[in-house]
Amino acid sequence: MFLHSVNLWNVAFYALMVFMATLGLWDVFFGFEENKCSMSYMFEYPEYQKIQLPKKLAKRYPAYELYLYGEGSYAEEHKILPLTGIPVLFLPGNAGSYKQVRSVGSIALRKAEDIDFKYHFDFFSVNFNEELVALYGGSLQKQTKFVHECIKTILKLYKGQEFAPKSVAIIGHSMGGLVARALLTLKNFKQDLINLLITQATPHVAPVLPLDRFITDFYMTVNNYWILNARHINLTTLSVAGGFRDYQVRSGLTFLPKLSHHTSALSVVSSAVPKTWVSTDHLSIVWCKQLQLTTVRAFFDLIDADTKQITQNPKKKLSVLNHHFIRHPAKHFEENPAIISDLTGTSMWVPVKVSKWTYVAYNESDKIYFTFPLANHRKIYTHVYCQSTMLDTNSWIFGCINSTSMCRQGIDLSWKAELLPTIKSLTLRLQDYPSLSHLVVYVPSVHGSKFVVDCEFFKKETRTIQLPVTHLFSFGLSSRKVLLNTSGLFYNIELLNFGQIYQAFKINVVSKCSGVKEEITSIYKLHIPWSYEDSLTIAQVPSSTEISLKLHIAQPENESQVALLKMYTSSDCQYEVTVKTSFSQILGQVVRFHGGALPAYVTSSILLAYGGQLYSLFSTGHCLEYATMLDKQAKPYKVDPFVLMIKFLLGPPELPKDIKMISLDLPFLTIVLIIVSWTTCGAFAILLTYLYYVFKIVHLQASLATFKNSQTVNLKHSRRNEKKSNHHKDSTVHYLHLSANDAEDSLRMHNTVINLLTWIVLLSMPSLIYWLKNLRYYFKLSPDPCKPLAFILIPTMAILGNTHTVSIKSSKLLKTTSQFPLPLAVGVIAFGSAHLYRVPCFVFIPLLLHALCNFM
């Protein structure tokens, strides 16, 4: 009865774990906003003109190609080289197509047509044969060298032109962005060949799944170079992440390292990009119309009028990117904007002395300047806030110095405004502008359009409200709320105690309005001060709006600012803000940030069960069931304390790269498989070995089942002759009973070995897929991350496939072998969680010792 209750508890525990994992997976794959990206369409049929590469280059890279994108008449005209535009090179990512350039290329072509081709861009794209470089890193260096050759080939196409370019701009999607950064690590590469780098959904920090050492080595080479040479890297770089919709590359991996002496790098999430304001998935980031329009506008603002190429001025490049991707003031970009503006002409000047003011403009025939004297307001208020629903790009708010009622010239404050989806707004701290005597709001003459302008003076403390978030383990059962009773237009809600990636909450904003007939829009902006990952929610009030609150980047230790919920509200409405813990989103964050370590933890648990089986075989002479040993041995306290100690003592984990191999006399099949591994692909040979091992075990299981069935039949028949052969039957049954037990013990052991071997096969599959995909170009995979492992695993599994527990019970090595899985399980978690390709190195050690038990 006790055992039965224990089993029920186990079932309940595992059911709970499965349920929690399902919740976490659901949040990652489905728990995000709907796709709000507009599709970008081509106005004419897209054409991809193949650029002829030098014969030596084409022979060296037979699978790679270079294309020029075009449409309609532009494509026809540029079939005859040389070219006259500004070169931009698009690099696709993992399994990406060179045709993904068409969205940004088509929009840039339409923009060039609008300005009568005063300037235009030539978009090139590299065909990497849709290689799976996120899973197999052996071709990343090859891709990098090919891109270098492409850049030189592209620049040759402009030779002899009056404004021939000396560099190219690069857009890199996913792993294509990493390849672009890797160009700087090449020995003969000149940094001046790239004038701008924009990456989209590129995992810069670390690989999503470190499945082989070539990927991690490539990352280490690139990131170390950029960190060590940051003072000498003048390449302006922008990294754009997709947000929570991109479950393939989490946005935290896309942020370039912040270095005090490297200020030419920006990282931003697409939901924070002005005029975009949407989250994109891993593929839609290359065709999302809102984002591509922003990118193209930035490209055209980067043009130097003198050279008719992208400017070489790093300050201008950074200013343009900040203008379009970080904070847009609702004005066209100007490199040197005029600070002082003339306020002249036949205009009305209307003084406003109240602290809160609203003006509805409709069919205005005259220009009006509304002036707000600041002297009296400074005594009572600390800030002024103004907003306008007219989203034109003209200056609309100014400051007058030492004026009485009107001024001929004013300081243009419009550059300090911020563009939002439905308004442009400006908040000023009055003490920062002590020389201003008046604030001036300009309302132009309009015909047929209606817009609203609001201004109000306020004290900061009346519009700043603190809201501590709920505890992590409140499970959404408790909540905290604030009520905005005053009739203000703007509020800052400080979200206290929120700054960790494992925190996740739901914010519910309920708005109630009185006497409102027209539809009113409110904007709720989640602002994260330590990274550009803001997100906006637009609500039609009155309504109830739910906002997800979670982070891509944790709050740095030296960061004192807190996350804010900025609320752009209506003075006719009251708002109630409630925050509570979202347990499902917490689980989603766990999966999002730590899901990649799952294979290491599963393998560690199997190793612990494996060690328990070996020890039970040594101590009792029998091998216990896998499920029993898993329940008994796979305990976190056996592994985690040692993992923490190792990580604390060693810091960044590194394993010895040289693995000693023991050569054995192998049968013919083993030699064949080793030859296969040497001449084709190591992962392919490992898969064949795995199938051979499974076949042997299935055959053993079938033999045991046949034996048991025949034994039952024999026992029925033997009852008739029981008296005649009683002594003979007793001895035979005893002998057969022992044989059945040995076979069952062997099956239990082999089942555990299959579990371990399955993970080795799964972790080696990416290189196998890559090899199969490129088989028409290369029969032998080079470099091959699985070849060393295959050489030692093949003979080991050949021996284990013919091993039975009865043959190793008396081995002197068995006790030592049974003690190895525990420290190896610790090693798997400590060194394999962040580098999955290391997991098989820990797994094959006990398998090898197990095989050696046959001989010692």
Side-chain angles (χ1 to χ4, degrees):
M1 183 67 182
F2 174 73
L3 290 175
H4 180 66
S5 64
V6 169
N7 289 334
L8 286 178
W9 277 111
N10 288 343
V11 171
F13 174 77
Y14 291 130
L16 178 62
M17 291 297 103
V18 170
F19 175 72
M20 291 172 63
T22 303
L23 275 181
L25 290 170
W26 184 91
D27 179 73
V28 170
F29 293 107
F30 304 103
F32 42 70
E33 66 179 68
E34 62 178 340
N35 192 349
K36 297 178 182 177
C37 278
S38 300
M39 176 65 75
S40 52
Y41 294 98
M42 286 76 252
F43 287 84
E44 298 179 271
Y45 189 78
E47 294 186 31
Y48 305 89
Q49 179 183 348
K50 186 176 180 180
I51 302 298
Q52 195 69 33
L53 299 174
K55 290 183 179 180
K56 289 184 178 180
L57 189 61
K59 187 175 181 180
R60 194 186 315 162
Y61 305 100
Y64 299 162
E65 297 167 324
L66 177 65
Y67 288 88
L68 171 65
Y69 177 80
E71 295 178 19
S73 59
Y74 170 86
E76 290 297 324
E77 291 172 5
H78 288 81
K79 285 182 179 179
I80 304 174
L81 303 175
L83 303 173
T84 58
I86 304 169
V88 179
L89 179 60
F90 176 81
L91 303 180
N94 176 60
S97 169
Y98 66 94
K99 295 182 179 181
Q100 289 173 313
V101 72
R102 63 183 176 270
S103 294
V104 66
S106 181
I107 291 173
L109 184 58
R110 301 284 85 76
K111 177 76 171 177
E113 288 178 349
D114 290 342
I115 60 174
D116 200 23
F117 283 93
K118 180 181 179 182
Y119 309 112
H120 74 273
F121 288 86
D122 300 318
F123 278 83
F124 298 85
S125 185
V126 174
N127 178 16
F128 284 135
N129 193 34
E130 300 184 10
E131 291 180 336
L132 303 172
V133 287
L135 304 179
Y136 168 76
S139 62
L140 284 168
Q141 191 68 18
K142 183 170 60 177
Q143 287 190 0
T144 305
K145 292 179 179 179
F146 180 73
V147 172
H148 184 198
E149 298 296 334
C150 285
I151 292 173
K152 292 189 288 187
T153 301
I154 289 170
L155 293 178
K156 289 179 183 177
L157 300 177
Y158 295 86
K159 272 192 174 182
Q161 299 301 307
E162 182 182 359
F163 299 101
K166 298 179 181 178
S167 58
V168 302
I170 294 181
I171 300 176
H173 173 238
S174 188
M175 295 297 287
L178 188 71
V179 168
R181 288 180 63 217
L183 286 168
L184 274 64
T185 66
L186 298 178
K187 290 182 179 179
N188 300 321
F189 185 79
K190 297 178 181 178
Q191 189 182 139
D192 295 339
L193 291 177
I194 308 177
N195 53 50
L196 177 69
L197 172 60
I198 297 178
T199 66
Q200 299 172 337
T202 296
H204 291 292
V205 177
V208 177
L209 288 176
L211 294 172
D212 63 52
R213 64 181 177 85
F214 302 119
I215 294 179
T216 54
D217 289 348
F218 190 80
Y219 265 90
M220 190 175 296
T221 300
V222 174
N223 286 332
N224 284 349
Y225 181 90
W226 276 65
I227 291 172
L228 296 175
N229 298 276
R231 295 181 184 275
H232 311 292
I233 296 177
N234 298 318
L235 176 59
T236 303
T237 308
L238 171 69
S239 175
V240 183
F244 288 108
R245 279 194 61 85
D246 188 350
Y247 52 78
Q248 295 185 45
V249 176
R250 63 178 177 86
S251 296
L253 293 177
T254 69
F255 279 67
L256 294 161
K258 289 184 178 179
L259 303 174
S260 58
H261 45 272
H262 186 208
T263 57
S264 58
L266 291 174
S267 302
V268 64
V269 180
S270 61
S271 59
V273 175
K275 295 190 176 183
T276 300
W277 296 307
V278 296
S279 176
T280 64
D281 59 53
H282 197 63
L283 292 179
S284 68
I285 198 169
V286 299
W287 57 255
C288 181
K289 186 176 180 180
Q290 295 96 312
L291 183 59
Q292 299 311 321
L293 281 170
T294 300
T295 304
V296 169
R297 292 188 196 107
F299 269 126
F300 276 87
D301 282 341
L302 284 164
I303 297 174
D304 187 322
D306 296 328
T307 64
K308 294 190 177 181
Q309 296 293 325
I310 288 180
T311 179
Q312 297 299 317
N313 185 344
K315 290 185 178 179
K316 179 180 178 180
K317 285 190 277 191
L318 206 59
S319 296
V320 170
L321 295 180
N322 270 292
H323 179 94
H324 288 283
F325 288 90
I326 305 300
R327 185 185 178 93
H328 199 296
K331 288 180 65 67
H332 291 307
F333 174 79
E334 294 180 25
E335 186 175 358
N336 298 302
I339 303 298
I340 305 298
S341 297
D342 293 329
L343 308 181
T344 58
T346 56
S347 305
M348 294 176 57
W349 288 79
V350 180
V352 180
K353 296 182 179 180
V354 295
S355 61
K356 185 175 181 180
W357 168 82
T358 298
Y359 184 78
V360 180
Y362 183 69
N363 281 336
E364 298 293 333
S365 58
D366 296 321
K367 301 176 183 177
I368 306 175
Y369 288 106
F370 292 94
T371 61
F372 298 79
L374 300 179
N376 292 329
H377 291 310
R378 291 183 189 277
K379 300 174 183 178
I380 305 173
Y381 306 108
T382 61
H383 290 71
V384 59
Y385 170 82
C386 291
Q387 67 180 32
S388 172
T389 60
M390 186 175 186
L391 303 182
D392 64 346
T393 57
N394 296 317
S395 296
W396 62 287
I397 190 164
F398 308 88
C400 289
I401 300 175
N402 299 326
S403 173
T404 53
S405 59
M406 60 179 290
C407 56
R408 293 184 177 276
Q409 289 185 324
I411 298 174
D412 191 351
L413 299 173
S414 307
W415 291 102
K416 298 185 180 297
E418 180 182 14
L419 177 66
L420 295 169
T422 58
I423 59 172
K424 51 186 178 184
S425 67
L426 173 68
T427 304
L428 297 178
R429 190 169 67 164
L430 295 178
Q431 71 178 45
D432 293 340
Y433 301 88
S435 61
L436 295 186
S437 61
H438 287 74
L439 188 71
V440 180
V441 175
Y442 171 61
V443 175
S445 59
V446 291
H447 300 281
S449 60
K450 178 181 178 181
F451 64 95
V452 181
V453 184
D454 299 277
C455 284
E456 64 175 350
F457 292 84
F458 63 89
K459 287 184 178 180
K460 181 182 178 182
E461 55 268 24
T462 63
R463 301 299 171 87
T464 302
I465 303 169
Q466 294 184 338
L467 178 61
V469 297
T470 50
H471 193 272
L472 181 69
F473 295 108
S474 63
F475 300 104
L477 300 177
S478 62
S479 62
R480 289 174 179 158
K481 65 177 65 177
V482 293
L483 184 64
L484 311 182
N485 284 316
T486 59
S487 58
L489 298 170
F490 174 78
Y491 293 90
N492 272 335
I493 297 181
E494 296 182 344
L495 302 168
L496 304 182
N497 308 320
F498 172 63
Q500 301 301 321
I501 56 165
Y502 56 79
Q503 292 178 296
F505 306 92
K506 287 182 180 179
I507 294 179
N508 191 49
V509 181
V510 177
S511 54
K512 297 178 180 178
C513 307
S514 57
V516 176
K517 296 181 179 180
E518 296 184 356
E519 192 177 69
I520 300 176
T521 300
S522 292
I523 301 174
Y524 313 132
K525 179 180 181 180
L526 178 62
H527 174 61
I528 309 301
W530 56 85
S531 64
Y532 298 118
E533 54 175 285
D534 296 2
S535 59
L536 282 79
T537 302
I538 302 173
Q540 303 297 330
V541 296
S543 63
S544 177
T545 306
E546 187 175 273
I547 304 170
S548 291
L549 179 60
K550 51 193 174 186
L551 294 172
H552 298 291
I553 299 287
Q555 184 177 18
E557 293 182 1
N558 58 349
E559 179 62 57
S560 58
Q561 297 185 74
V562 299
L564 297 174
L565 178 64
K566 293 186 174 184
M567 300 184 63
Y568 301 86
T569 57
S570 169
S571 58
D572 297 318
C573 303
Q574 288 188 337
Y575 297 80
E576 183 183 79
V577 182
T578 306
V579 61
K580 61 180 179 180
T581 300
S582 174
F583 187 61
S584 63
Q585 292 189 66
I586 290 174
L587 296 175
Q589 290 290 82
V590 171
V591 172
R592 187 175 285 110
F593 282 85
H594 304 292
L598 180 63
Y601 279 89
V602 173
T603 306
S604 177
S605 299
I606 299 172
L607 278 172
L608 291 173
Y610 184 43
Q613 285 182 318
L614 289 170
Y615 186 77
S616 70
L617 185 64
F618 167 75
S619 58
T620 66
H622 293 286
C623 179
L624 296 180
E625 289 281 354
Y626 168 74
T628 303
M629 295 311 301
L630 188 65
D631 182 56
K632 183 178 179 181
Q633 296 292 329
K635 306 295 183 183
Y637 61 79
K638 294 185 176 183
V639 173
D640 285 341
F642 299 102
V643 171
L644 294 173
M645 289 172 60
I646 290 172
K647 288 187 175 181
F648 176 76
L649 294 173
L650 298 183
E654 286 295 329
L655 288 180
K657 293 186 178 179
D658 296 328
I659 302 173
K660 295 183 179 179
M661 290 190 253
I662 300 174
S663 57
L664 299 173
D665 245 345
L666 303 175
F668 174 75
L669 181 61
T670 304
I671 296 174
V672 171
L673 289 174
I674 288 179
I675 293 174
V676 169
S677 173
W678 177 263
T679 57
T680 59
C681 172
F684 180 54
I686 290 174
L687 178 62
L688 294 177
T689 306
Y690 175 76
L691 295 175
Y692 164 76
Y693 191 87
V694 170
F695 170 77
K696 295 287 290 186
I697 305 314
V698 170
H699 180 70
L700 175 62
Q701 191 167 16
S703 300
L704 179 62
T706 302
F707 171 77
K708 286 184 175 181
N709 291 335
S710 63
Q711 180 65 13
T712 303
V713 174
N714 288 338
L715 286 174
K716 288 180 180 179
H717 285 292
S718 65
R719 287 172 185 166
R720 300 175 184 175
N721 303 317
E722 185 176 356
K723 294 182 180 180
K724 295 182 181 179
S725 56
N726 190 55
H727 176 71
H728 177 70
K729 183 193 81 80
D730 288 342
S731 61
T732 302
V733 168
H734 180 64
Y735 172 76
L736 292 175
H737 179 67
L738 288 176
S739 298
N741 280 344
D742 288 338
E744 289 178 347
D745 283 347
S746 297
L747 271 178
R748 291 166 185 162
M749 186 66 69
H750 286 311
N751 285 336
T752 305
V753 172
I754 284 180
N755 280 326
L756 289 172
L757 193 59
T758 298
W759 282 101
I760 294 179
V761 172
L762 288 175
L763 293 174
S764 65
M765 284 301 289
S767 60
L768 174 62
I769 295 171
Y770 179 90
W771 174 72
L772 290 172
K773 193 173 183 300
N774 291 274
L775 199 54
R776 57 176 173 164
Y777 300 107
Y778 314 102
F779 186 71
K780 180 180 180 179
L781 182 63
S782 179
D784 189 347
C786 298
K787 188 174 292 182
L789 176 65
F791 282 175
I792 195 167
L793 191 65
I794 290 170
T796 300
M797 300 316 300
I799 295 170
L800 288 181
N802 295 280
T803 296
H804 301 285
T805 53
V806 68
S807 62
I808 64 171
K809 285 180 181 179
S810 58
S811 171
K812 296 178 181 178
L813 193 61
L814 182 58
K815 184 177 180 180
T816 304
T817 302
S818 68
Q819 294 170 344
F820 257 81
L822 176 57
L824 291 172
V826 174
V828 164
I829 302 299
F831 301 109
S833 297
H835 300 86
L836 293 178
Y837 70 91
R838 292 173 170 171
V839 171
C841 299
F842 290 95
V843 173
F844 87 81
I845 293 175
L847 296 177
L848 177 61
L849 292 174
H850 186 174
L852 291 177
C853 287
N854 287 277
F855 309 101
M856 301 176 66

